[in-house]
């Protein structure tokens, strides 16, 4: 399979938790403590997105003023 694609399987634990396979974590630079956004559509399924991707998108839509504190 291409290096920019990955297919894996993970089991859902008793508390609804899943373990993201190491190959996927490396691909998206996911580290312990990172936040993941869960996007759901009943017909299309579930997507996991690293939260910094959404943060970068919102910053491009709503850029901070030069004088605004970060």
């Amino acid at each position: 399979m291409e290096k920019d694609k990955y297919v894996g399987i993970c089991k859902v634990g008793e508390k609804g938790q899943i373990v993201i396979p190491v190959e996927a974590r490396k691909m998206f630079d996911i580290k312990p403590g990172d936040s993941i956004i869960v996007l759901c559509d009943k017909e299309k399924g579930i997507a996991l997105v690293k939260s910094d991707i959404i943060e970068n998108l919102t910053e491009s839509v709503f850029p901070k003023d030069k004088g605004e504190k970060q």
Side-chain angles (χ1 to χ4, degrees):
M1 188 168 278
E2 298 173 32
K3 291 192 180 230
D4 62 344
K5 299 188 186 316
Y6 173 76
V7 175
I9 296 174
C10 54
K11 292 185 180 183
V12 179
E14 290 180 25
K15 295 181 180 181
Q17 297 169 319
I18 62 168
V19 174
I20 300 170
V22 68
E23 295 88 348
R25 293 193 316 262
K26 285 180 180 177
M27 183 182 290
F28 290 98
D29 193 32
I30 297 171
K31 296 184 173 67
D34 286 348
S35 294
I36 303 294
I37 297 172
V38 180
L39 303 172
C40 302
D41 181 291
K42 218 169 189 177
E43 292 180 17
K44 296 180 182 178
I46 298 173
L48 304 175
V49 180
K50 195 172 171 187
S51 66
D52 63 352
I53 292 172
I54 300 296
E55 290 168 7
N56 293 340
L57 176 62
T58 57
E59 287 175 10
S60 68
V61 174
F62 301 109
K64 294 183 180 184
D65 293 335
K66 291 181 182 178
E68 187 178 333
K69 293 181 182 177
Q70 292 188 16

